[in-house]
Structures are given as structure tokens and as C-alpha cells.
Amino acid sequence: MGSIAKVGDIRLKELVFATNNAYKAAEVSKLLAGKYKILTLKDIGCGVDIPETGSTFEDNAALKSLYVVTHYHLDCFGDDSGLEVEALNNAPGIYSARYSGNRSDQGNMSLLLNNMEGIEHRSARFRTVISLNLNNKNFFFEGMVSGTIRKEAIGEQGFGYDPVFEPLGHDRTFAQMSTNEKNEISHRAIAMKKLIAFLKDHAGF
Ligand code: IMP
């Protein structure tokens, strides 16, 4: 007797997201839910911390996607994101993850707040650049969200600088928002929506 295909049996297309950050993978999986199955570096057995030796977000995002294509021959996208603070000449920028010398969110935020002590101009923005490597061609997508740096950290959600970043038009920080709420407005969500629109047009999405 033949089997009846159920909705649950539909195989989703797989796309590697060159990241080890579980929060980011969860954010992106939600945005692509039911459309693509996102595999992380861990899922494909890649234990390498891909070197981010570029001098721009674009360079670093492309290094990540190219690494997976070269070593695993799988379609892949990689992102690079960071916080740019106007009064600090756009620091920490590409150095956001290790601003304080190690990968401590707490240490990075403390250093940022120290460096901004006495500064009233607190405009900043998060930027994300995604590099998609599809059929050996590279495409870039960018997302940005503007806001201000709070004088004190507040909120428990998210990661990185979320507790000190208040997006424009809101009176709460990213860390006081649910993942869904952040996904409506975040730099990564904006870049991801551009990626999704592109996949719809070019990959029979
Ligand atoms: P990545 O290179 O995309 O992993 O991002 C570099 C660093 O930028 C992270 O380690 C965080 O410190 C910061 N960052 C990027 N996106 C966000 C965000 O959505 N919220 C808070 N911090 C972020």
C-alpha cells in the first residue's frame, strides 16, 4: 500500500549558517521557519573558529561563507555584525565581540559604558552584513538599526550589547524584548529579510 505524504514529511532545503552562536541561529531559524532548515557549523561537524581577519564587516562575512564552501562544498551564508557608536568613531565596530580583550559580554559592556562616561551624545547603530555563497557566487545583504546607548545595562534577554542598546522609537532595550519583538526590527532581521527576498527570486524558494 502506498504511503500518503503528510505535511510533516516535506523535506526542507538545507542551508548552512556559518555560526556557533546559538542565539543567532535561533533568531534566524525563526525567520526561516518552514522554509529552510538551518544547519550551524556544529551540525556539519565543523569545530573551527573561522578566523575573522578582514577589516570590514563584508570581508569577515565573506571569509565565513567561503570557508564552508571550500571545506564542505555546501551552500552557506555567514554574517558579521557589530555595534558602531558615533561618539567613539564607530568603535567597537568589527571588534565588538572582543572589545574588552576577550569574548565576555559583561566585560565588553562595562568597557563601553566606561568609555562613554560623561558623553551625552549616545547615538549608535547595529550593523549586519550577510555573505551568501550560492552555487559558488557571492551576494551581500546589509541591515542596520539605529538607537542610543543607555547609561546602565537593563534586561535579561538576548546577548552581546542588548542590555545597553535602546532602538529608536522604543523605550526599552533589546534585552527587554522577546526574540520575536527583536526580530521585527533588528539589524540581523533586516539583512535576513533581504536574503530571504533574494532566495525567493533566485532559488525557486
Ligand atoms: P558577530 O561577529 O556577528 O558574531 O557579532 C560580533 C559581536 O557584535 C557580538 O559578539 C556582539 O558583541 C555584537 N552583536 C552583534 N549582534 C548583536 C545583537 O543583536 N545584540 C547585541 N550584540 C550584538
Side-chain angles (χ1 to χ4, degrees), residues 1 10 17 25 39 54 70 76-77 82 94 99-100 103 109 119 144 146 148 164 170 174 192-193 198-199 205:
M1 204 160 88
I10 294 171
F17 182 11
L39 304 176
T70 306
C76 173
F77 63 93
I94 58 166
Y99 191 38
S100 59
R103 284 186 175 272
M109 270 191 299
I119 297 178
M144 265 186 251
S146 297
T148 52
V164 293
H170 295 260
F174 266 169
M192 279 300 303
K193 280 174 191 159
F198 175 91
L199 288 171
F205 183 63

Side-chain angles (χ1 to χ4, degrees), residues 17 19 21 24 27 52 57 60 64 79-83 92-99 103-105 108 126-129 145 158-163 165 174 182 186-188:
F17 182 11
T19 187
N21 182 321
K24 290 205 302 195
E27 280 181 16
E52 295 180 30
F57 291 120
N60 285 336
K64 292 179 199 175
D79 77 328
D80 197 35
S81 319
L83 179 68
I94 58 166
Y95 305 108
S96 294
R98 295 166 196 260
Y99 191 38
R103 284 186 175 272
S104 153
D105 286 347
N108 290 339
F126 273 120
R127 272 183 70 206
T128 292
V129 174
V145 56
F159 70 100
Y161 299 86
D162 279 348
F165 184 82
F174 266 169
K182 182 180 168 188
S186 84
H187 49 310
R188 189 167 305 102

Side-chain angles (χ1 to χ4, degrees), residues 36 53 137 144 157 163 165:
Y36 267 92
T53 50
K137 282 195 192 126
M144 265 186 251
Q157 309 292 317
F165 184 82

